[in-house]
Amino acid sequence: DLLDEHVDIEGKRVAVLGLAFKPGTDDIRYTRAIPIIEGLKRRGADVVGYDPVATENMRAEFPDIAYADSAADALADAHAAMVVTDWDEFAALDGAFDQMADPVVIDGRRIIERRDGLTYEGLTW
């Protein structure tokens, strides 16, 4: 719902960064990414996911969404990004957000630095 305040995602690319329930694992049990992806799909978003190690496990759960080879690839031309898992590499993505069509970031782990040029909402699940 927070995302809906900033962008109409129907038919638009939305990056989901972090698919595992915590960094350092490929375990997707209890991950917040599952209900987020389900909600994005219900709203008609074109979902692209990225995780350093959990992609294949999530692909078994959601074979119908796109998966990127890197976080930067997931962000390219995206209209929004949802940060779900606090992988260290996500904190270093600053310039990659400039490649987004609309730099709207909903940060569920508060690891992204708020800055000019980003529409940023930080929360902790």
Side-chain angles (χ1 to χ4, degrees), residues 62-80:
F62 293 102
D64 59 336
I65 70 168
Y67 294 91
D69 292 329
S70 70
D73 287 347
L75 291 171
D77 298 321
H79 291 268

PDB file of all heavy atoms in Angstrom, residues 62-80:
ATOM      1  N   PHE A  62       7.823 -19.011  -7.816  1.00  0.00           N
ATOM      2  CA  PHE A  62       7.265 -18.041  -8.768  1.00  0.00           C
ATOM      3  C   PHE A  62       7.982 -18.167 -10.115  1.00  0.00           C
ATOM      4  O   PHE A  62       8.823 -17.329 -10.457  1.00  0.00           O
ATOM      5  CB  PHE A  62       7.422 -16.607  -8.250  1.00  0.00           C
ATOM      6  CG  PHE A  62       6.608 -16.283  -7.039  1.00  0.00           C
ATOM      7  CD1 PHE A  62       7.195 -16.254  -5.790  1.00  0.00           C
ATOM      8  CD2 PHE A  62       5.255 -16.002  -7.152  1.00  0.00           C
ATOM      9  CE1 PHE A  62       6.459 -15.943  -4.664  1.00  0.00           C
ATOM     10  CE2 PHE A  62       4.500 -15.701  -6.032  1.00  0.00           C
ATOM     11  CZ  PHE A  62       5.096 -15.677  -4.780  1.00  0.00           C
ATOM     12  N   PRO A  63       7.660 -19.181 -10.902  1.00  0.00           N
ATOM     13  CA  PRO A  63       8.339 -19.339 -12.194  1.00  0.00           C
ATOM     14  C   PRO A  63       7.917 -18.297 -13.230  1.00  0.00           C
ATOM     15  O   PRO A  63       8.583 -18.147 -14.254  1.00  0.00           O
ATOM     16  CB  PRO A  63       7.920 -20.749 -12.636  1.00  0.00           C
ATOM     17  CG  PRO A  63       6.615 -20.992 -11.948  1.00  0.00           C
ATOM     18  CD  PRO A  63       6.707 -20.258 -10.641  1.00  0.00           C
ATOM     19  N   ASP A  64       6.862 -17.554 -12.944  1.00  0.00           N
ATOM     20  CA  ASP A  64       6.304 -16.624 -13.916  1.00  0.00           C
ATOM     21  C   ASP A  64       6.791 -15.183 -13.778  1.00  0.00           C
ATOM     22  O   ASP A  64       6.337 -14.310 -14.513  1.00  0.00           O
ATOM     23  CB  ASP A  64       4.775 -16.657 -13.837  1.00  0.00           C
ATOM     24  CG  ASP A  64       4.249 -16.299 -12.454  1.00  0.00           C
ATOM     25  OD1 ASP A  64       4.989 -16.457 -11.471  1.00  0.00           O
ATOM     26  OD2 ASP A  64       3.085 -15.867 -12.368  1.00  0.00           O
ATOM     27  N   ILE A  65       7.710 -14.910 -12.870  1.00  0.00           N
ATOM     28  CA  ILE A  65       8.279 -13.566 -12.797  1.00  0.00           C
ATOM     29  C   ILE A  65       9.691 -13.596 -13.374  1.00  0.00           C
ATOM     30  O   ILE A  65      10.280 -14.668 -13.533  1.00  0.00           O
ATOM     31  CB  ILE A  65       8.277 -12.992 -11.356  1.00  0.00           C
ATOM     32  CG1 ILE A  65       9.273 -13.716 -10.457  1.00  0.00           C
ATOM     33  CG2 ILE A  65       6.863 -13.009 -10.771  1.00  0.00           C
ATOM     34  CD1 ILE A  65       9.532 -13.018  -9.119  1.00  0.00           C
ATOM     35  N   ALA A  66      10.220 -12.429 -13.662  1.00  0.00           N
ATOM     36  CA  ALA A  66      11.579 -12.326 -14.197  1.00  0.00           C
ATOM     37  C   ALA A  66      12.583 -12.327 -13.046  1.00  0.00           C
ATOM     38  O   ALA A  66      12.265 -11.923 -11.923  1.00  0.00           O
ATOM     39  CB  ALA A  66      11.724 -11.047 -15.007  1.00  0.00           C
ATOM     40  N   TYR A  67      13.786 -12.769 -13.343  1.00  0.00           N
ATOM     41  CA  TYR A  67      14.877 -12.755 -12.365  1.00  0.00           C
ATOM     42  C   TYR A  67      16.091 -12.114 -13.021  1.00  0.00           C
ATOM     43  O   TYR A  67      16.422 -12.423 -14.161  1.00  0.00           O
ATOM     44  CB  TYR A  67      15.203 -14.172 -11.879  1.00  0.00           C
ATOM     45  CG  TYR A  67      14.063 -14.760 -11.096  1.00  0.00           C
ATOM     46  CD1 TYR A  67      13.079 -15.509 -11.728  1.00  0.00           C
ATOM     47  CD2 TYR A  67      13.937 -14.516  -9.732  1.00  0.00           C
ATOM     48  CE1 TYR A  67      11.998 -16.019 -11.018  1.00  0.00           C
ATOM     49  CE2 TYR A  67      12.862 -15.027  -9.018  1.00  0.00           C
ATOM     50  CZ  TYR A  67      11.896 -15.778  -9.669  1.00  0.00           C
ATOM     51  OH  TYR A  67      10.820 -16.264  -8.956  1.00  0.00           O
ATOM     52  N   ALA A  68      16.736 -11.224 -12.293  1.00  0.00           N
ATOM     53  CA  ALA A  68      17.898 -10.511 -12.805  1.00  0.00           C
ATOM     54  C   ALA A  68      19.175 -11.176 -12.303  1.00  0.00           C
ATOM     55  O   ALA A  68      19.177 -11.858 -11.275  1.00  0.00           O
ATOM     56  CB  ALA A  68      17.858  -9.055 -12.358  1.00  0.00           C
ATOM     57  N   ASP A  69      20.262 -10.940 -13.027  1.00  0.00           N
ATOM     58  CA  ASP A  69      21.565 -11.480 -12.649  1.00  0.00           C
ATOM     59  C   ASP A  69      22.286 -10.604 -11.628  1.00  0.00           C
ATOM     60  O   ASP A  69      23.283 -11.021 -11.054  1.00  0.00           O
ATOM     61  CB  ASP A  69      22.448 -11.648 -13.888  1.00  0.00           C
ATOM     62  CG  ASP A  69      21.924 -12.734 -14.812  1.00  0.00           C
ATOM     63  OD1 ASP A  69      21.321 -13.709 -14.320  1.00  0.00           O
ATOM     64  OD2 ASP A  69      22.118 -12.600 -16.040  1.00  0.00           O
ATOM     65  N   SER A  70      21.793  -9.391 -11.429  1.00  0.00           N
ATOM     66  CA  SER A  70      22.394  -8.490 -10.444  1.00  0.00           C
ATOM     67  C   SER A  70      21.322  -7.517  -9.961  1.00  0.00           C
ATOM     68  O   SER A  70      20.293  -7.332 -10.621  1.00  0.00           O
ATOM     69  CB  SER A  70      23.560  -7.700 -11.049  1.00  0.00           C
ATOM     70  OG  SER A  70      23.079  -6.754 -11.986  1.00  0.00           O
ATOM     71  N   ALA A  71      21.600  -6.886  -8.847  1.00  0.00           N
ATOM     72  CA  ALA A  71      20.664  -5.885  -8.337  1.00  0.00           C
ATOM     73  C   ALA A  71      20.556  -4.724  -9.312  1.00  0.00           C
ATOM     74  O   ALA A  71      19.465  -4.198  -9.548  1.00  0.00           O
ATOM     75  CB  ALA A  71      21.107  -5.418  -6.959  1.00  0.00           C
ATOM     76  N   ALA A  72      21.675  -4.308  -9.885  1.00  0.00           N
ATOM     77  CA  ALA A  72      21.659  -3.204 -10.843  1.00  0.00           C
ATOM     78  C   ALA A  72      20.802  -3.550 -12.055  1.00  0.00           C
ATOM     79  O   ALA A  72      20.049  -2.703 -12.547  1.00  0.00           O
ATOM     80  CB  ALA A  72      23.084  -2.853 -11.267  1.00  0.00           C
ATOM     81  N   ASP A  73      20.884  -4.791 -12.535  1.00  0.00           N
ATOM     82  CA  ASP A  73      20.041  -5.216 -13.658  1.00  0.00           C
ATOM     83  C   ASP A  73      18.564  -5.184 -13.278  1.00  0.00           C
ATOM     84  O   ASP A  73      17.712  -4.828 -14.091  1.00  0.00           O
ATOM     85  CB  ASP A  73      20.412  -6.624 -14.124  1.00  0.00           C
ATOM     86  CG  ASP A  73      21.731  -6.670 -14.871  1.00  0.00           C
ATOM     87  OD1 ASP A  73      22.258  -5.611 -15.261  1.00  0.00           O
ATOM     88  OD2 ASP A  73      22.254  -7.794 -15.057  1.00  0.00           O
ATOM     89  N   ALA A  74      18.251  -5.573 -12.054  1.00  0.00           N
ATOM     90  CA  ALA A  74      16.856  -5.546 -11.601  1.00  0.00           C
ATOM     91  C   ALA A  74      16.338  -4.110 -11.549  1.00  0.00           C
ATOM     92  O   ALA A  74      15.174  -3.849 -11.874  1.00  0.00           O
ATOM     93  CB  ALA A  74      16.727  -6.209 -10.232  1.00  0.00           C
ATOM     94  N   LEU A  75      17.173  -3.171 -11.155  1.00  0.00           N
ATOM     95  CA  LEU A  75      16.763  -1.776 -11.020  1.00  0.00           C
ATOM     96  C   LEU A  75      16.645  -1.047 -12.355  1.00  0.00           C
ATOM     97  O   LEU A  75      15.882  -0.084 -12.464  1.00  0.00           O
ATOM     98  CB  LEU A  75      17.749  -1.021 -10.131  1.00  0.00           C
ATOM     99  CG  LEU A  75      17.747  -1.412  -8.662  1.00  0.00           C
ATOM    100  CD1 LEU A  75      18.913  -0.749  -7.938  1.00  0.00           C
ATOM    101  CD2 LEU A  75      16.427  -1.081  -8.000  1.00  0.00           C
ATOM    102  N   ALA A  76      17.371  -1.487 -13.371  1.00  0.00           N
ATOM    103  CA  ALA A  76      17.371  -0.794 -14.657  1.00  0.00           C
ATOM    104  C   ALA A  76      15.953  -0.684 -15.209  1.00  0.00           C
ATOM    105  O   ALA A  76      15.252  -1.680 -15.362  1.00  0.00           O
ATOM    106  CB  ALA A  76      18.273  -1.525 -15.648  1.00  0.00           C
ATOM    107  N   ASP A  77      15.531   0.544 -15.447  1.00  0.00           N
ATOM    108  CA  ASP A  77      14.216   0.867 -16.009  1.00  0.00           C
ATOM    109  C   ASP A  77      13.040   0.499 -15.110  1.00  0.00           C
ATOM    110  O   ASP A  77      11.898   0.507 -15.563  1.00  0.00           O
ATOM    111  CB  ASP A  77      14.042   0.225 -17.391  1.00  0.00           C
ATOM    112  CG  ASP A  77      15.064   0.741 -18.391  1.00  0.00           C
ATOM    113  OD1 ASP A  77      15.364   1.954 -18.356  1.00  0.00           O
ATOM    114  OD2 ASP A  77      15.582  -0.058 -19.187  1.00  0.00           O
ATOM    115  N   ALA A  78      13.293   0.191 -13.846  1.00  0.00           N
ATOM    116  CA  ALA A  78      12.202  -0.114 -12.919  1.00  0.00           C
ATOM    117  C   ALA A  78      11.516   1.176 -12.483  1.00  0.00           C
ATOM    118  O   ALA A  78      12.144   2.230 -12.398  1.00  0.00           O
ATOM    119  CB  ALA A  78      12.730  -0.862 -11.698  1.00  0.00           C
ATOM    120  N   HIS A  79      10.238   1.081 -12.196  1.00  0.00           N
ATOM    121  CA  HIS A  79       9.474   2.220 -11.712  1.00  0.00           C
ATOM    122  C   HIS A  79       9.436   2.252 -10.184  1.00  0.00           C
ATOM    123  O   HIS A  79       9.002   3.245  -9.607  1.00  0.00           O
ATOM    124  CB  HIS A  79       8.057   2.188 -12.278  1.00  0.00           C
ATOM    125  CG  HIS A  79       8.040   2.461 -13.747  1.00  0.00           C
ATOM    126  ND1 HIS A  79       7.873   3.720 -14.272  1.00  0.00           N
ATOM    127  CD2 HIS A  79       8.214   1.640 -14.807  1.00  0.00           C
ATOM    128  CE1 HIS A  79       7.930   3.659 -15.586  1.00  0.00           C
ATOM    129  NE2 HIS A  79       8.137   2.410 -15.939  1.00  0.00           N
ATOM    130  N   ALA A  80       9.869   1.163  -9.579  1.00  0.00           N
ATOM    131  CA  ALA A  80       9.925   1.100  -8.118  1.00  0.00           C
ATOM    132  C   ALA A  80      10.822  -0.059  -7.720  1.00  0.00           C
ATOM    133  O   ALA A  80      11.039  -0.991  -8.492  1.00  0.00           O
ATOM    134  CB  ALA A  80       8.535   0.907  -7.527  1.00  0.00           C
TER     135      ALA A  80
END
